[in-house]
Amino acid sequence: MAGLALLAAGGTDDAAALLGPWETADAATAVRLYKKAVARLRESNPETAIAWLARARNLAPDDEGVLGEWIDHLRLVPEAKWPTEAADVARAWLARHPATPSALEILVLSAAERGELDEALQAADELVRADPIRAQAYFVRGMVRFDRRDVLGALADHSTAHNLSPAEATYAGAVGWDYYALELNDRALAFLDEALERDPGLTEARLRRGLCRGKLGDDAGAIADLDLVLAKAENFDARFNRAVLHLRNGRKDAARADLEKALELEPGDARTKEILERLGPR
């Protein structure tokens, strides 16, 4: 049990070395150990826990407990960091338990992350059919529709999600972004305001409201929002759009500083290069 003790202390590499020999000696025991390891790592190091689940599944591909752990655990890890087998795990679970919303959502998000938007939409349609009164199902399908440039379809789904769960700030923010994409900025601003009233920490909604305020001519409000976004983390869109606002108000030095930082974040962006060239040297 020394391996589990090391896991509790955060020593995952040493723990792996100690637990590794169990794999060949006793597969069933190894799977039990991996499940305990995942339980200990669930909150502290979810990406490492995914790797341990992969080992457990290699040892016991038909173990329903391992599959269930996968389905539950993937929610803790950003889609961009999901392993390639995430969709296979979801399909294996759905073969045993058809129309499980959490597994269908994994299929949607993994396909969208790979850029397979037709596959993502098909899975999203199944997700809505499986759970037609669940707000998250419509929100997820709306995300796929937006990525497919079906903004009206995205607005319909996000509005449904918002109506089903009006207290959820993320859904209000999504409706606001759809209206912004449709250039209905007054409506967009109302929903983005609502989202940030419910959850001031929503960085995406804060960024989008900054862009929306800029479109509506509220330069001071736009810059205030973008300042808050950049106080949390660097962001190309926030830097570029704040530079445009600075230029609009005659602050060339501030604009140049933001554009130079934007170019560090996105070295190939042609718009940033063009504006910097027009500004000339310091």
Side-chain angles (χ1 to χ4, degrees):
M1 302 304 288
L4 290 178
L6 279 167
L7 277 170
T12 53
D13 291 338
D14 290 338
L18 285 169
L19 290 174
W22 287 85
E23 295 184 16
T24 53
D26 185 343
T29 300
V31 168
R32 286 198 298 274
L33 285 170
Y34 282 134
K35 288 179 183 178
K36 288 182 180 180
V38 168
R40 291 175 186 251
L41 290 166
R42 181 175 291 276
E43 301 295 338
S44 62
N45 198 335
E47 291 174 49
T48 300
I50 288 287
W52 287 70
L53 279 169
R55 294 185 183 192
R57 187 167 181 245
N58 287 338
L59 289 167
D62 297 321
D63 187 300
E64 188 159 309
V66 173
L67 291 174
E69 285 283 351
W70 267 96
I71 299 299
D72 289 340
H73 196 78
L74 283 170
R75 301 176 194 178
L76 302 176
V77 180
E79 296 96 86
K81 295 183 178 180
W82 284 1
T84 54
E85 60 261 50
D88 291 338
V89 170
R91 292 189 190 96
W93 182 264
L94 289 165
R96 295 166 170 78
H97 305 281
T100 302
S102 54
L104 286 168
E105 189 170 331
I106 289 168
L107 282 185
V108 176
L109 298 177
S110 60
E113 184 64 28
R114 298 192 309 273
E116 301 289 344
L117 296 181
D118 290 343
E119 180 184 334
L121 183 60
Q122 183 179 352
D125 287 339
E126 290 181 38
L127 174 60
V128 169
R129 285 194 295 270
D131 202 354
I133 60 170
R134 181 168 171 257
Q136 181 69 7
Y138 293 94
F139 174 69
V140 168
R141 189 171 69 178
M143 291 167 58
V144 175
R145 284 178 161 172
F146 192 94
D147 287 346
R148 288 167 55 89
R149 301 184 180 179
D150 175 13
V151 182
L152 288 174
L155 176 60
D157 274 340
H158 289 151
S159 296
T160 300
H162 182 252
N163 290 335
L164 287 169
S165 186
E168 175 54 56
T170 303
Y171 302 156
V175 175
W177 188 238
D178 296 337
Y179 277 125
Y180 177 83
L182 293 168
E183 299 185 2
L184 297 170
N185 295 309
D186 288 324
R187 291 186 184 181
L189 184 60
F191 281 97
L192 292 166
D193 282 344
E194 178 188 336
L196 289 166
E197 284 170 12
R198 296 188 182 283
D199 185 354
L202 282 179
T203 301
E204 279 297 315
R206 180 79 57 188
L207 171 63
R208 291 165 178 178
R209 191 174 72 174
L211 302 183
C212 190
R213 282 175 158 176
K215 289 276 190 177
L216 289 168
D218 177 10
D219 289 6
I223 287 174
D225 276 335
L226 298 177
D227 285 348
L228 288 171
V229 170
L230 290 167
K232 283 192 171 183
E234 279 298 340
N235 182 289
F236 171 81
D237 288 329
R239 284 284 182 185
F240 180 85
N241 284 281
R242 192 172 70 174
V244 171
L245 291 165
H246 283 317
L247 278 175
R248 199 153 78 186
N249 289 275
R251 296 186 290 269
K252 290 186 178 181
D253 288 343
R256 183 183 286 106
D258 271 343
L259 289 166
E260 287 172 350
K261 189 62 182 179
L263 199 60
E264 288 179 21
L265 298 169
E266 296 283 349
D269 188 74
R271 297 174 303 165
T272 306
K273 291 178 180 178
E274 180 184 350
I275 298 172
L276 274 171
E277 286 173 6
R278 275 195 263 139
L279 280 174
R282 289 180 180 275

